[in-house]
Amino acid sequence: MPIVVFIVNLSVCSIDRLVKQIRKTGKKRFGPDILHIGLLVLAVGAIVTFTGRREGFAYLAEGDRVRLPGDYVMELESFEFHTYESGRPKAWISTVNVYDEQGKVIVDSYPIRVNHPLRIGRIKIYQSSYSEEATVTLIHNSGEKKDLKRGYHINVGDELYFFRGVYSGSGNSDDVKVVFEKWDGQEITGMVSLGRNQQVGEYRIGKISNHLVTGLQAVVDPGYTTVLIAVILIGLGLSVTYIQKLGEKQS
Amino acid sequence: MISTIAFVIICAACIIQIVYLIRKGGEKPDPLSHYLLLPAAILLFTDITIRSIKINFVAITNTFESLVFFSGVISLVLSVYRLKSREKSPPSVLFGGTVIIIIFLAIASSPLASREIEPPIPALQSYWLVLHVAFSFIGEAFFVVGFVAAIYYLTNKNEDKRRSIDRLMYTSIAIGYPIFTAGALIFGAIWAEVAWGRYWGWDPKETWALITWLVYTAYLHTRFVAKFRGKFSAILAIVGFLATVFTFFGVNYLLSGLHSYA
């Protein structure tokens, strides 16, 4: 309600001021009018954004594909995480390819970074986050293989073993261990860390992998152009007001 | 080290101002302190430049650098104002502005602000950030003058002086307002869109910047439309500056959000 009152008030005052300026016989100052019209356009853009904005989010590993609005398909070609010497994050770079519905490449190896989104028509793709995706291949006594992702569990006797992640105590990639959290149905009863070929219930630990996945956000904002026009009008209004004031002061 | 030298120079300028205020009763501005504020500003900007070269980006990405840059802009604004207005500038306004610079630099040298030179994280690697921060602080430097003028207005009984100080308060806010609007709101919104995919997110810093902007909008509109002058305007100028300070410090240390590094 206060926003509606504000917009009505702004509209009435802006129109009133503009009419007075047009009728004025002396020196006319249109800077504030442009600025106020810009604020009204901004209000319209904000309403359009509020009602029509859509966004989606996906974690992608290298080679993964995701469907975008407009029947585009985006494929993650590579994901890099660079750090400074101090370990401070320097860049997350998701290089993507985008195909149209006929499979034709429309975007080839585009690096999406923070502050460097990809724009395809109305859709914008942002570098939003990243995560580590740990997977362990469990080999059943029967020889059957099963890939277990972090957060999922297996049954071991009467207990559930939740796969919580992988770690390397020595920092050596050959010394990677899998960490399970044991749960008896009521409480956590302990933690177990196991290396390759060690046995857990009816399974043997096989391949252990831990790789980064990128978090990309797709945004479709129908108010984008309106807000952009509003921002330009506000900037223009401020500049015109300023320049006119300076000119009057000097003369 | 360079900022420390600038701090010493500004303290010297402040001492000269105090001596003149006591000896001349605040009637005439001292002839020297603004010539000290100018090289102090240059030194503060030099410190920022050196840090920028080291990180290969414009070094206004943490609290220390922001305070040094802000202090440099205030020093420059005060110095230019004194040079342009010559003998007419009230010494109390220059003194008040100088005290605020000293407070900001003291905070910059305290444990509240880390002096470590660190390259920017990915979210800060945008030239919209540079425009956003630089324009915001330039606008806010004029608000400092408006704030000090407002205090001086409320504590002064001389009507002639009050009229000229009211004019100074209005001029400084009228100059700072469009610059602050461009920096804090327009460039900030554009940067947010490029970095996060939305112009506005009601982050505490954004909300408080909007509150600050609304207070100064109220100041200008009550002046233009309702023809308010004097005490009411002075109180609004003080409230506006308090909102500016809270937007900078209060949000950093009391509230968390997307701007927690600023």
Side-chain angles (χ1 to χ4, degrees):
Chain A
M1 190 63 188
I3 294 170
V4 176
V5 173
F6 172 75
I7 294 171
V8 171
N9 183 40
L10 183 64
S11 309
V12 172
C13 293
S14 302
I15 294 164
D16 179 58
R17 196 186 186 285
L18 184 62
V19 171
K20 280 179 183 163
Q21 283 294 307
I22 293 166
R23 286 181 181 163
K24 204 171 161 184
T25 48
K27 200 157 197 171
K28 291 174 182 176
R29 283 184 186 160
F30 283 112
D33 297 296
I34 300 169
L35 171 61
H36 286 94
I37 290 166
L39 286 172
L40 280 172
V41 177
L42 183 69
V44 173
I47 292 166
V48 175
T49 294
F50 182 72
T51 52
R53 188 178 196 273
R54 283 180 295 143
E55 60 181 52
F57 179 86
Y59 277 119
L60 299 178
E62 284 180 9
D64 282 356
R65 288 182 169 216
V66 65
R67 188 165 286 280
L68 299 172
D71 283 332
Y72 297 116
V73 172
M74 183 172 70
E75 177 191 52
L76 182 72
E77 187 181 300
S78 66
F79 177 55
E80 296 161 53
F81 175 27
H82 299 284
T83 57
Y84 295 107
E85 281 177 18
S86 62
R88 199 171 154 86
K90 186 178 183 182
W92 292 283
I93 308 167
S94 301
T95 305
V96 299
N97 301 309
V98 180
Y99 307 94
D100 66 9
E101 52 194 352
Q102 279 87 43
K104 195 178 139 201
V105 178
I106 55 165
V107 175
D108 188 18
S109 297
Y110 184 91
I112 301 174
R113 301 188 304 271
V114 182
N115 284 307
H116 189 250
L118 166 65
R119 292 173 198 269
I120 320 157
R122 297 176 304 118
I123 313 160
K124 283 168 283 174
I125 315 287
Y126 293 87
Q127 181 64 53
S128 180
S129 68
Y130 78 102
S131 182
E132 283 185 342
E133 190 176 83
T135 310
V136 57
T137 304
L138 299 171
I139 305 159
H140 193 261
N141 290 341
S142 64
E144 192 185 332
K145 288 183 179 175
K146 174 182 182 173
D147 283 339
L148 192 69
K149 288 192 173 180
R150 188 167 62 177
Y152 289 85
H153 71 272
I154 52 168
N155 296 319
V156 178
D158 292 336
E159 289 187 311
L160 300 181
Y161 275 47
F162 281 90
F163 175 30
R164 288 301 179 209
V166 296
Y167 84 98
S168 169
S170 61
N172 187 340
S173 59
D174 296 332
D175 183 32
V176 177
K177 284 194 160 49
V178 180
V179 179
F180 286 102
E181 194 176 69
K182 294 195 285 181
W183 194 61
D184 67 1
Q186 295 199 327
E187 60 180 347
I188 295 162
T189 56
M191 307 286 278
V192 183
S193 62
L194 300 163
R196 277 201 76 163
N197 294 320
Q198 285 192 290
Q199 199 72 22
V200 51
E202 296 169 337
Y203 298 96
R204 189 163 50 85
I205 305 291
K207 189 181 162 198
I208 302 166
S209 66
N210 191 24
H211 58 271
L212 290 175
V213 289
T214 182
L216 295 176
Q217 186 184 32
V219 176
V220 177
D221 182 0
Y224 172 74
T225 314
T226 317
V227 174
L228 195 65
I229 292 167
V231 166
I232 293 168
L233 283 172
I234 293 168
L236 186 69
L238 286 171
S239 308
V240 171
T241 307
Y242 218 51
I243 292 162
Q244 274 193 324
K245 272 266 181 194
L246 276 176
E248 283 168 24
K249 207 178 168 191
Q250 279 168 1
S251 61
Chain B
M1 183 63 188
I2 296 172
S3 295
T4 309
I5 298 167
F7 181 71
V8 171
I9 294 171
I10 293 163
C11 286
C14 191
I15 291 165
I16 293 167
Q17 289 166 355
I18 292 169
V19 170
Y20 255 76
L21 274 171
I22 294 167
R23 291 186 66 177
K24 305 279 177 184
E27 290 303 316
K28 279 188 79 175
D30 71 85
L32 189 63
S33 67
H34 56 290
Y35 288 117
L36 292 175
L37 289 177
L38 204 58
I42 293 166
L43 282 173
L44 292 171
F45 293 138
T46 306
D47 197 8
I48 292 291
T49 309
I50 291 169
R51 292 175 76 97
S52 302
I53 292 166
K54 283 184 182 166
I55 64 170
N56 201 21
F57 192 76
V58 182
I60 39 176
T61 57
N62 62 29
T63 307
F64 173 81
E65 289 159 358
S66 302
L67 281 166
V68 169
F69 179 76
F70 192 18
S71 302
V73 179
I74 303 169
S75 303
L76 191 65
V77 167
L78 288 177
S79 190
V80 170
Y81 160 67
R82 167 69 177 86
L83 285 168
K84 286 206 88 173
S85 64
R86 294 186 187 91
E87 298 297 302
K88 286 185 279 179
S89 55
S92 303
V93 172
L94 276 178
F95 169 67
T98 310
V99 169
I100 287 175
I101 301 169
I102 290 171
I103 293 169
F104 284 163
L105 287 177
I107 296 169
S109 68
S110 77
L112 284 172
S114 167
R115 295 181 75 129
E116 213 170 309
I117 302 175
E118 286 185 311
I121 58 169
L124 301 178
Q125 294 164 12
S126 168
Y127 282 95
W128 286 112
L129 160 86
V130 179
L131 290 171
H132 168 54
V133 175
F135 273 68
S136 298
F137 282 136
I138 294 168
E140 286 172 0
F142 286 97
F143 294 162
V144 169
V145 179
F147 166 72
V148 178
I151 300 269
Y152 186 48
Y153 180 93
L154 292 176
T155 54
N156 205 300
K157 300 273 180 248
N158 185 314
E159 267 313 307
D160 287 339
K161 272 190 183 171
R162 286 177 79 147
R163 253 195 301 278
S164 77
I165 209 75
D166 181 68
R167 184 77 198 156
L168 168 65
M169 184 169 45
Y170 160 67
T171 312
S172 55
I173 290 172
I175 295 172
Y177 180 79
I179 302 172
F180 177 78
T181 307
L185 301 181
I186 297 180
F187 295 144
I190 295 171
W191 177 35
E193 200 280 329
V194 173
W196 298 298
R198 54 183 164 69
Y199 290 103
W200 195 264
W202 295 108
D203 167 72
K205 198 114 180 168
E206 291 172 357
T207 309
W208 274 95
L210 179 66
I211 291 168
T212 304
W213 184 79
L214 287 173
V215 174
Y216 284 111
T217 304
Y219 174 92
L220 292 175
H221 281 75
T222 50
R223 196 175 175 100
F224 291 146
V225 182
K227 307 291 175 201
F228 281 20
R229 297 280 189 279
K231 198 176 170 186
F232 181 80
S233 295
I235 291 168
L236 271 183
I238 291 169
V239 173
F241 184 71
L242 294 178
T244 306
V245 171
F246 187 80
T247 306
F248 188 19
F249 295 110
V251 174
N252 283 9
Y253 298 113
L254 300 176
L255 306 167
S256 64
L258 293 169
H259 288 77
S260 50
Y261 37 73

